[in-house]
Amino acid sequence: MKKVILTGASGFIGRQAIPFLIKSNYEVHAVFCKWKTKFKGHPRLFWHKCDLLDFAAQRKLCARIKASYLLHFAWYTEPEKYWVSLENIRWVQASLDLLLNFVKNGGRRAVFAGTCAEYDWNYGYCSEKVTPLKPATLYGACKNSLENILRKFSSQLGLSYAWGRLFYLYGPYENPRRLVPSVIHTLRKKEIMRCSHGNQIRDFLYVGDAAEVFVKLLNSDICGPINIASGQPITVKEVVSIIAEKMGCRDLISFGTKPGLIEEAPLILADIARLTKEVRWKPKYDIFSGLDQLINQK
């Protein structure tokens, strides 16, 4: 039986990955810190409460499970704060310790969550092979530094690894302060939704699709960084307008009444050639069907 340690198992992406892991016949050891999800019980799903920032606790966890696979999502993700928070440094330390403990106890394949914030956003179009890596934030720098170490570590010790660079996810259980849930919540209350100009072009992907990609990567021997995105450009204004149209609240949207960030990149779009050709994957949800999942959920 294939054993996998899934960190951040109760989080935004982690909880979505559980059904795909079970379907792929893994024995899933789901790690959470504060609470676990309401995911229905399964004979191959085991929950472990562990603060990964407690190095002694995570050392004992890895020694007890002895997994061959690691899917690592856990990180500090407080909206707005995570870009510059010193917690990013602590999570680099925790992730490196986790990696060492995983390998020490027989680990063979690790897949980590990276970010599009590793790229130089002045280029707009982000390709794993071409676009320079020049993070503008501490968050992006820490993720990119971790990938650099992971790459050298894997080459030296023969560990198989992949690094999924995530772009703009949305979906169930997203933090309510982020764009999509905040718009839906505001419109449900029949209140005015004040927005910036909304002309920023972004690459949005439904979180369930992202979780599926990570499990497919875990099942493969694909190595190195790979963009996890839709590859479809869309403005923030269009996303907000689609939500408003579906909810019958177009008159409640007020663009240009909230200041945008001066340094905000006008375009952030993923090259998904590697995703489509090597992983042989395409999204199940487009922006319309993905937003339907959120608007219609009870």
PDB file of all heavy atoms in Angstrom, residues 114-126:
ATOM      1  N   GLY A 114       4.310  25.449  -4.821  1.00  0.00           N
ATOM      2  CA  GLY A 114       5.018  26.706  -5.009  1.00  0.00           C
ATOM      3  C   GLY A 114       4.026  27.794  -5.381  1.00  0.00           C
ATOM      4  O   GLY A 114       2.830  27.678  -5.127  1.00  0.00           O
ATOM      5  N   THR A 115       4.495  28.854  -6.014  1.00  0.00           N
ATOM      6  CA  THR A 115       3.628  29.989  -6.309  1.00  0.00           C
ATOM      7  C   THR A 115       4.105  30.746  -7.548  1.00  0.00           C
ATOM      8  O   THR A 115       5.311  30.794  -7.838  1.00  0.00           O
ATOM      9  CB  THR A 115       3.590  30.972  -5.122  1.00  0.00           C
ATOM     10  OG1 THR A 115       2.917  32.175  -5.509  1.00  0.00           O
ATOM     11  CG2 THR A 115       4.985  31.343  -4.655  1.00  0.00           C
ATOM     12  N   CYS A 116       3.152  31.361  -8.235  1.00  0.00           N
ATOM     13  CA  CYS A 116       3.494  32.216  -9.372  1.00  0.00           C
ATOM     14  C   CYS A 116       4.254  33.458  -8.914  1.00  0.00           C
ATOM     15  O   CYS A 116       4.885  34.147  -9.729  1.00  0.00           O
ATOM     16  CB  CYS A 116       2.239  32.618 -10.139  1.00  0.00           C
ATOM     17  SG  CYS A 116       1.044  33.590  -9.192  1.00  0.00           S
ATOM     18  N   ALA A 117       4.233  33.748  -7.604  1.00  0.00           N
ATOM     19  CA  ALA A 117       4.956  34.909  -7.071  1.00  0.00           C
ATOM     20  C   ALA A 117       6.467  34.716  -7.102  1.00  0.00           C
ATOM     21  O   ALA A 117       7.217  35.624  -6.755  1.00  0.00           O
ATOM     22  CB  ALA A 117       4.499  35.196  -5.638  1.00  0.00           C
ATOM     23  N   GLU A 118       6.927  33.547  -7.541  1.00  0.00           N
ATOM     24  CA  GLU A 118       8.360  33.326  -7.714  1.00  0.00           C
ATOM     25  C   GLU A 118       8.879  34.013  -8.979  1.00  0.00           C
ATOM     26  O   GLU A 118      10.062  34.310  -9.094  1.00  0.00           O
ATOM     27  CB  GLU A 118       8.651  31.826  -7.793  1.00  0.00           C
ATOM     28  CG  GLU A 118       8.301  31.050  -6.533  1.00  0.00           C
ATOM     29  CD  GLU A 118       8.407  29.551  -6.740  1.00  0.00           C
ATOM     30  OE1 GLU A 118       9.526  29.080  -7.065  1.00  0.00           O
ATOM     31  OE2 GLU A 118       7.382  28.847  -6.621  1.00  0.00           O
ATOM     32  N   TYR A 119       7.983  34.245  -9.933  1.00  0.00           N
ATOM     33  CA  TYR A 119       8.382  34.825 -11.213  1.00  0.00           C
ATOM     34  C   TYR A 119       8.591  36.338 -11.139  1.00  0.00           C
ATOM     35  O   TYR A 119       8.086  37.000 -10.235  1.00  0.00           O
ATOM     36  CB  TYR A 119       7.310  34.551 -12.262  1.00  0.00           C
ATOM     37  CG  TYR A 119       7.209  33.110 -12.714  1.00  0.00           C
ATOM     38  CD1 TYR A 119       6.082  32.345 -12.420  1.00  0.00           C
ATOM     39  CD2 TYR A 119       8.225  32.513 -13.459  1.00  0.00           C
ATOM     40  CE1 TYR A 119       5.974  31.026 -12.845  1.00  0.00           C
ATOM     41  CE2 TYR A 119       8.126  31.197 -13.887  1.00  0.00           C
ATOM     42  CZ  TYR A 119       7.003  30.453 -13.579  1.00  0.00           C
ATOM     43  OH  TYR A 119       6.905  29.149 -13.996  1.00  0.00           O
ATOM     44  N   ASP A 120       9.305  36.858 -12.128  1.00  0.00           N
ATOM     45  CA  ASP A 120       9.405  38.302 -12.320  1.00  0.00           C
ATOM     46  C   ASP A 120       8.126  38.738 -13.030  1.00  0.00           C
ATOM     47  O   ASP A 120       7.953  38.496 -14.230  1.00  0.00           O
ATOM     48  CB  ASP A 120      10.631  38.634 -13.173  1.00  0.00           C
ATOM     49  CG  ASP A 120      10.848  40.133 -13.326  1.00  0.00           C
ATOM     50  OD1 ASP A 120       9.900  40.907 -13.067  1.00  0.00           O
ATOM     51  OD2 ASP A 120      11.968  40.529 -13.714  1.00  0.00           O
ATOM     52  N   TRP A 121       7.243  39.402 -12.313  1.00  0.00           N
ATOM     53  CA  TRP A 121       5.931  39.761 -12.862  1.00  0.00           C
ATOM     54  C   TRP A 121       6.007  40.869 -13.904  1.00  0.00           C
ATOM     55  O   TRP A 121       5.011  41.173 -14.562  1.00  0.00           O
ATOM     56  CB  TRP A 121       4.984  40.131 -11.725  1.00  0.00           C
ATOM     57  CG  TRP A 121       4.436  38.933 -11.017  1.00  0.00           C
ATOM     58  CD1 TRP A 121       4.547  37.643 -11.402  1.00  0.00           C
ATOM     59  CD2 TRP A 121       3.672  38.931  -9.802  1.00  0.00           C
ATOM     60  NE1 TRP A 121       3.911  36.796 -10.499  1.00  0.00           N
ATOM     61  CE2 TRP A 121       3.380  37.571  -9.514  1.00  0.00           C
ATOM     62  CE3 TRP A 121       3.242  39.916  -8.930  1.00  0.00           C
ATOM     63  CZ2 TRP A 121       2.634  37.201  -8.388  1.00  0.00           C
ATOM     64  CZ3 TRP A 121       2.506  39.546  -7.808  1.00  0.00           C
ATOM     65  CH2 TRP A 121       2.201  38.196  -7.541  1.00  0.00           C
ATOM     66  N   ASN A 122       7.159  41.468 -14.081  1.00  0.00           N
ATOM     67  CA  ASN A 122       7.298  42.463 -15.138  1.00  0.00           C
ATOM     68  C   ASN A 122       7.151  41.824 -16.520  1.00  0.00           C
ATOM     69  O   ASN A 122       6.868  42.511 -17.502  1.00  0.00           O
ATOM     70  CB  ASN A 122       8.663  43.156 -15.060  1.00  0.00           C
ATOM     71  CG  ASN A 122       8.763  44.076 -13.860  1.00  0.00           C
ATOM     72  OD1 ASN A 122       7.822  44.809 -13.555  1.00  0.00           O
ATOM     73  ND2 ASN A 122       9.885  44.044 -13.163  1.00  0.00           N
ATOM     74  N   TYR A 123       7.342  40.510 -16.580  1.00  0.00           N
ATOM     75  CA  TYR A 123       7.227  39.806 -17.858  1.00  0.00           C
ATOM     76  C   TYR A 123       5.783  39.425 -18.168  1.00  0.00           C
ATOM     77  O   TYR A 123       5.446  39.193 -19.321  1.00  0.00           O
ATOM     78  CB  TYR A 123       8.113  38.551 -17.852  1.00  0.00           C
ATOM     79  CG  TYR A 123       9.570  38.862 -18.015  1.00  0.00           C
ATOM     80  CD1 TYR A 123      10.314  39.393 -16.958  1.00  0.00           C
ATOM     81  CD2 TYR A 123      10.232  38.664 -19.222  1.00  0.00           C
ATOM     82  CE1 TYR A 123      11.662  39.703 -17.109  1.00  0.00           C
ATOM     83  CE2 TYR A 123      11.576  38.969 -19.374  1.00  0.00           C
ATOM     84  CZ  TYR A 123      12.276  39.488 -18.314  1.00  0.00           C
ATOM     85  OH  TYR A 123      13.613  39.807 -18.466  1.00  0.00           O
ATOM     86  N   GLY A 124       4.935  39.303 -17.155  1.00  0.00           N
ATOM     87  CA  GLY A 124       3.524  39.023 -17.366  1.00  0.00           C
ATOM     88  C   GLY A 124       3.211  37.585 -17.704  1.00  0.00           C
ATOM     89  O   GLY A 124       2.441  36.919 -17.015  1.00  0.00           O
ATOM     90  N   TYR A 125       3.830  37.084 -18.776  1.00  0.00           N
ATOM     91  CA  TYR A 125       3.604  35.696 -19.198  1.00  0.00           C
ATOM     92  C   TYR A 125       4.665  34.824 -18.534  1.00  0.00           C
ATOM     93  O   TYR A 125       5.868  35.030 -18.732  1.00  0.00           O
ATOM     94  CB  TYR A 125       3.702  35.591 -20.716  1.00  0.00           C
ATOM     95  CG  TYR A 125       3.294  34.251 -21.275  1.00  0.00           C
ATOM     96  CD1 TYR A 125       1.995  33.769 -21.113  1.00  0.00           C
ATOM     97  CD2 TYR A 125       4.208  33.457 -21.971  1.00  0.00           C
ATOM     98  CE1 TYR A 125       1.622  32.542 -21.637  1.00  0.00           C
ATOM     99  CE2 TYR A 125       3.842  32.231 -22.501  1.00  0.00           C
ATOM    100  CZ  TYR A 125       2.550  31.778 -22.334  1.00  0.00           C
ATOM    101  OH  TYR A 125       2.179  30.558 -22.855  1.00  0.00           O
ATOM    102  N   CYS A 126       4.226  33.858 -17.753  1.00  0.00           N
ATOM    103  CA  CYS A 126       5.132  33.095 -16.896  1.00  0.00           C
ATOM    104  C   CYS A 126       5.370  31.681 -17.424  1.00  0.00           C
ATOM    105  O   CYS A 126       4.467  30.842 -17.427  1.00  0.00           O
ATOM    106  CB  CYS A 126       4.562  33.027 -15.481  1.00  0.00           C
ATOM    107  SG  CYS A 126       4.260  34.648 -14.729  1.00  0.00           S
TER     108      CYS A 126
END
